[in-house]
């Protein structure tokens, strides 16, 4: 399958960074958009250019190893060896080393007194691909494997990750010289490559997580204690009641906290006449034969609900999944996104047509998705009682990474009040609500200041005029583009904008100066692209309209263009 335009953009970004002399760079793309395809295409470009050197891919899970091996062989066209457990390409193929090697960081740092990575000469390698790079920000032992190959200054390091959490962003910013390409779930959704997410929060009063400890200060719930809560009869009956009474039949994947909970929930649903099955990673409870049978039945639609424990978190892709139920509360954004990512792919084959491939076809792709059998993926969060400092991740918090915390918190309240709502709609409503409150507070502060100064003059206060007279050009841009509450990504902090970023800002009419940061430029460009994908008015149009007392923030581009033209003809 040919590369999509954003995958080509990612490859171009990687080339640009390495051509500038950087030793390492980071690629950020969400689940379902082809990260493995991108780094394989990057390596293929090296082959086509005649760039010497071997290539190594490090991935921490077996499923990722087999996936990377297949992609490299298919796209790059060379032999690929495996270095993992009993597979030892370092010795088995020593007489004729394959150009590609796939391995795990655990394998590389294993062995005493000689680690297995020392079987490989760093000077033979020109590229090291680090898949799921956010793990290396936490596992300091794994970074020794990267350092081994960095001994060769000609070996460039490409880190690859899905959207990392906020703590990982800052750490990744320290590990890698630059960010070559950063594409979030919202970017992929807005450009019509992934399904929109509709979130629904269903309350199960029996879920009480206040006494469930966590692993360390920032770790996830301790699984044993979490399982004890989630497998209680009251909780299981509550979850079953939600599925029975509040959700219409759909192809559903349920993530459970324990094998017993998965089996009990499944049996309850089977007793209600649902074609359900359960599966776990323990081969003593679910044999390979049974697992394959269940996967086939789920893919064909014969089985409509599957309850799983640790099987479908990674390495499982079924684009026909219509609903995901989170019956496994977690404090880990990465784990939540992995579970959610099982359902964000579009209906099979829907977008694999030339007429929908273009960069300018976002609206056509979104229309195709909205008209398909799978217009969105529904995410069900089971809400109970939690401790203030240990609130489980929800769809809103997982997808609210670009927004500041107050917006995410307000959006979660909106989701809990609503029957089912698009997550981006909830976040934007929350941002608008907070902005209105801020405007009102600003007006009252100004009025109080005027009163205290005993300035006896009549002034007509409006939020718009008050803010307009106080804000700087950059604050005006943030307000008009709805970026005031958009969070600046951690791995961009402290860096100057790139030339391409400055060019985009200049073309859009966004003000910048010597103090502008890459983080600020990135969030502004993201909002510009977001508005463009929705066919909304441009920043220049909004500024012109506002000068004439017209709010153009929710106006379409075409309507704004016509109105601006009318105003210019009337007022010159």
């Amino acid at each position: 399958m040919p590369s999509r335009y954003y995958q080509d953009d990612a490859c171009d970004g990687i080339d640009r960074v390495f051509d500038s002399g950087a030793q390492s760079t980071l690629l950020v793309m969400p689940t379902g958009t082809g990260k493995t395809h991108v780094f394989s295409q990057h390596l293929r470009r090296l082959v086509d250019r005649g760039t010497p050197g071997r290539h190594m891919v490090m991935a921490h899970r077996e499923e990722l190893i087999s996936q990377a091996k297949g992609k490299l062989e298919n796209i790059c066209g060379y032999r690929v060896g495996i270095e993992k457990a009993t597979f030892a390409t370092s010795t088995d193929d020593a007489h004729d080393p394959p150009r590609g090697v796939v391995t795990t960081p655990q394998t590389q740092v294993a062995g005493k007194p000689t680690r297995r990575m020392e079987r490989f000469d760093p000077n033979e390698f020109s590229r090291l691909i680090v898949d799921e790079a956010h793990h290396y920000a936490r596992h300091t032992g794994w970074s020794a494997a990267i350092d081994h190959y960095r001994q060769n200054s000609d070996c460039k390091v490409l880190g690859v990750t899905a959207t990392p959490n906020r703590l990982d962003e800052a750490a990744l910013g320290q590990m890698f010289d630059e960010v070559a390409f950063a594409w979030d779930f919202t970017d992929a959704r807005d450009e019509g490559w992934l399904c929109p997410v509709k979130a629904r929060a269903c309350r199960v009063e029996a879920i009480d997580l206040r006494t469930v400890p966590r692993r360390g200060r920032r770790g996830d719930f301790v699984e044993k204690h979490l399982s004890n809560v989630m497998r209680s009869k009251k909780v299981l009956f509550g979850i079953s009641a939600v599925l029975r009474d509040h959700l219409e039949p759909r192809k559903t994947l349920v993530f459970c906290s324990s094998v017993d909970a998965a089996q009990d929930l499944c049996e309850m649903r089977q007793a209600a006449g649902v074609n359900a099955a359960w599966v776990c990673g323990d081969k003593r409870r679910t044999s390979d034969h049974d697992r394959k049978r269940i996967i086939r039945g789920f893919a064909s639609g014969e089985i409509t609900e599957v309850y799983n424990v640790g099987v479908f978190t990674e390495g499982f892709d079924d684009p026909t999944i219509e609903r995901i139920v989170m019956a496994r509360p977690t404090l880990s954004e990465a784990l939540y996104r992995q579970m959610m990512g099982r359902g964000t792919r579009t209906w099979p084959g829907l977008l694999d047509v030339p007429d929908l491939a273009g960069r300018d076809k976002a609206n056509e792709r979104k229309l195709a998705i909205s008209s398909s059998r799978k217009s969105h993926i529904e995410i069900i969060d089971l809400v109970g009682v939690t401790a203030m400092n240990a609130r489980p991740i929800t769809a809103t918090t997982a997808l609210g990474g670009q927004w500041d915390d107050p917006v995410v918190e307000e959006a979660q309240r909106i989701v809990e009040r609503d029957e089912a709502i698009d997550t981006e709609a909830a976040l934007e409503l929350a941002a608008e609500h907070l902005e209105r409150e801020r405007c009102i507070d600003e007006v009252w502060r100004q009025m109080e200041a005027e009163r205290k100064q005993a300035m006896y003059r009549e002034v007509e206060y409006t939020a718009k005029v008050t803010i307009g007279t106080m804000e700087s050009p950059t604050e005006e841009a943030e307000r008009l583009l709805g970026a005031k509450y958009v969070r600046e990504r951690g791995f961009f902090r402290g860096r100057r904008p790139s030339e391409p970023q400055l060019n985009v800002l200049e073309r859009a009419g966004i003000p910048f100066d010597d103090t502008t940061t890459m983080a600020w430029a990135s969030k502004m460009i993201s909002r510009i692209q977001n508005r463009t994908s929705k066919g909304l008015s441009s920043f220049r149009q909004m500024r012109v309209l506002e000068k004439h007392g017209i709010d153009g923030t929710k106006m379409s581009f075409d309507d704004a263009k016509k109105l601006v033209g009318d105003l210019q003809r009337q007022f010159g």
Side-chain angles (χ1 to χ4, degrees):
M1 183 181 297
S3 296
R4 293 171 172 172
Y5 66 83
Y6 64 83
Q7 294 168 336
D8 288 333
D9 290 346
C11 284
D12 291 344
I14 296 166
D15 289 345
R16 186 168 52 249
V17 170
F18 284 146
D19 289 346
S20 71
Q23 291 297 111
S24 63
T25 192
L26 185 67
L27 169 69
V28 182
M29 292 174 66
T31 299
T33 55
K35 296 186 295 294
T36 306
H37 180 91
V38 169
F39 71 66
S40 299
Q41 283 289 357
H42 169 64
L43 297 179
R44 176 57 189 260
R45 289 186 180 188
L46 298 181
V47 173
D48 291 343
R49 292 172 191 156
T51 305
R54 301 174 69 191
H55 307 148
M56 177 176 285
V57 176
M58 265 196 266
H60 73 293
R61 289 176 65 97
E62 184 174 343
E63 298 89 345
L64 301 173
I65 288 289
S66 57
Q67 183 184 30
K69 182 177 186 296
K71 276 285 187 183
L72 289 180
E73 290 175 337
N74 183 43
I75 292 176
C76 297
Y78 52 48
R79 283 194 307 121
V80 178
I82 296 177
E83 186 76 15
K84 179 183 179 296
T86 58
F87 295 96
T89 186
S90 55
T91 54
D92 296 345
D93 301 318
H95 62 289
D96 183 20
R99 185 160 190 185
V101 176
V102 292
T103 184
T104 69
Q106 302 96 311
T107 300
Q108 289 287 300
V109 300
K112 291 182 179 179
T114 303
R115 293 182 172 184
R116 283 180 72 164
M117 62 188 178
E118 294 175 30
R119 300 179 185 178
F120 295 92
D121 180 358
N123 294 311
E124 293 182 359
F125 291 85
S126 61
R127 282 296 183 276
L128 172 62
I129 310 297
V130 181
D131 201 6
E132 303 293 344
H134 56 278
H135 289 295
Y136 296 75
R138 306 173 204 151
H139 295 276
T140 54
W142 291 5
S143 62
I146 300 176
D147 293 339
H148 174 72
Y149 295 95
R150 274 182 164 164
Q151 294 177 82
N152 172 17
S153 60
D154 292 327
C155 181
K156 311 282 190 177
V157 181
L158 171 61
V160 183
T161 182
T163 310
N165 65 37
R166 301 183 183 200
L167 292 174
D168 288 342
E169 283 181 5
L172 288 167
Q174 297 298 314
M175 288 179 61
F176 295 92
D177 294 340
E178 291 191 36
V179 179
F181 187 78
W183 219 49
D184 208 336
F185 169 84
T186 55
D187 300 315
R189 179 206 58 209
D190 290 344
E191 295 194 28
W193 292 111
L194 292 178
C195 283
V197 171
K198 281 194 175 180
R200 181 182 291 187
C202 295
R203 182 160 292 279
V204 178
E205 296 294 346
I207 297 177
D208 188 344
L209 303 176
R210 288 176 294 183
T211 61
V212 178
R214 59 193 303 177
R215 296 194 300 269
R217 192 163 60 93
R218 298 188 182 278
D220 203 354
F221 292 119
V222 176
E223 291 184 7
K224 178 181 177 182
H225 296 273
L226 177 65
S227 297
N228 288 339
V229 170
M230 297 303 293
R231 63 175 292 195
S232 73
K233 291 299 181 185
K234 286 186 177 180
V235 169
L236 294 176
F237 278 119
I239 297 173
S240 181
V242 166
L243 293 168
R244 181 192 66 219
D245 299 336
H246 301 291
L247 304 178
E248 65 279 10
R250 282 185 180 174
K251 186 171 182 178
T252 301
L253 178 62
V254 184
F255 287 94
C256 300
S257 59
S258 69
V259 177
D260 290 336
Q263 184 175 358
D264 289 348
L265 275 172
C266 177
E267 290 174 353
M268 289 180 182
R269 296 295 285 157
Q270 288 173 336
V274 177
N275 292 326
W278 67 274
V279 62
C280 69
D282 186 347
K283 294 184 179 181
R284 294 169 299 179
R285 312 246 341 228
T286 307
S287 66
D288 287 340
H289 172 76
D290 286 340
R291 185 186 308 179
K292 290 176 181 177
R293 175 183 56 80
I294 291 168
I295 291 174
R296 284 196 303 270
F298 195 41
S300 68
E302 178 186 351
I303 297 172
T304 57
E305 293 181 10
V306 169
Y307 296 76
N308 89 101
V309 184
V311 174
F312 297 148
T313 307
E314 289 181 335
F316 172 75
D317 299 318
D318 182 350
T320 63
I321 293 171
E322 297 170 292
R323 175 189 294 130
I324 291 178
V325 177
M326 301 295 190
R328 191 262 185 249
T330 179
L331 299 170
S332 167
E333 289 181 33
L335 175 58
Y336 190 100
R337 290 193 193 102
Q338 286 173 345
M339 295 188 289
M340 183 182 69
R342 299 312 106 203
T344 53
R345 286 175 169 84
T346 60
W347 194 260
L350 179 69
L351 304 179
D352 298 335
V353 292
D355 289 345
L356 295 176
R359 190 185 301 271
D360 60 344
K361 298 294 183 181
N363 289 334
E364 288 85 345
R365 287 189 291 271
K366 289 191 285 187
L367 179 61
I369 293 171
S370 65
S371 305
S372 71
R373 289 182 59 182
K374 182 180 176 181
S375 60
H376 63 275
I377 178 67
E378 186 177 43
I379 305 293
I380 307 300
D381 290 311
L382 301 175
V383 180
V385 183
T386 61
M388 286 293 292
N389 64 342
R391 290 178 175 171
I393 303 298
T394 65
T396 309
T397 52
L399 296 178
Q402 68 165 325
W403 297 94
D404 284 340
D405 288 342
V407 175
V408 177
E409 292 168 6
E410 178 65 20
Q412 183 59 31
R413 287 190 282 271
I414 291 172
V415 169
E416 291 182 14
R417 290 196 301 266
D418 212 293
E419 188 67 18
I421 185 170
D422 181 270
T423 51
E424 186 64 13
L427 289 161
E428 291 187 349
L429 281 172
E432 289 176 8
H433 175 71
L434 292 178
E435 180 63 10
R436 282 197 301 272
E437 287 190 342
R438 190 188 73 82
C439 290
I440 293 169
D441 290 344
E442 186 68 29
V443 169
W444 280 106
R445 278 196 297 270
Q446 290 297 310
M447 292 178 68
E448 182 66 11
E450 293 281 346
R451 187 189 65 78
K452 287 181 178 179
Q453 293 169 12
M455 297 177 67
Y456 301 106
R457 55 187 174 83
E458 190 174 329
V459 180
E460 203 173 276
Y461 288 95
T462 66
K464 185 176 185 180
V465 172
T466 303
I467 294 170
T469 58
M470 298 179 62
E471 64 188 1
S472 67
T474 55
E475 288 173 333
E476 178 193 37
E478 286 186 334
R479 174 174 57 81
L480 289 176
L481 288 171
K484 186 173 290 293
Y485 296 99
V486 174
R487 185 177 64 90
E488 296 184 353
R489 305 299 292 274
F491 38 61
F492 292 128
R493 295 243 169 86
R495 295 178 178 173
R496 292 281 298 136
S498 66
E499 280 301 317
Q501 285 182 317
L502 293 177
N503 291 338
V504 172
L505 293 179
E506 187 172 16
R507 286 197 301 271
I510 306 295
F512 60 88
D513 54 32
D514 292 341
T515 64
T516 300
T517 64
M518 179 178 282
W520 189 86
S522 296
K523 82 170 184 176
M524 299 303 284
I525 290 170
S526 173
R527 299 306 291 171
I528 293 169
Q529 293 171 339
N530 179 269
R531 293 188 64 83
T532 301
S533 71
K534 294 178 179 178
L536 294 173
S537 55
S538 69
F539 174 69
R540 292 182 190 275
Q541 290 171 334
M542 287 188 288
R543 288 191 73 186
V544 171
L545 293 172
E546 186 170 70
K547 288 177 181 177
H548 291 275
I550 300 169
D551 181 4
T553 55
K554 295 184 179 180
M555 197 175 292
S556 73
F557 179 86
D558 291 339
D559 288 346
K561 181 179 179 180
K562 182 179 183 301
L563 189 52
V564 168
D566 291 342
L567 291 170
Q568 289 175 339
R569 283 189 292 274
Q570 183 176 355
F571 297 103

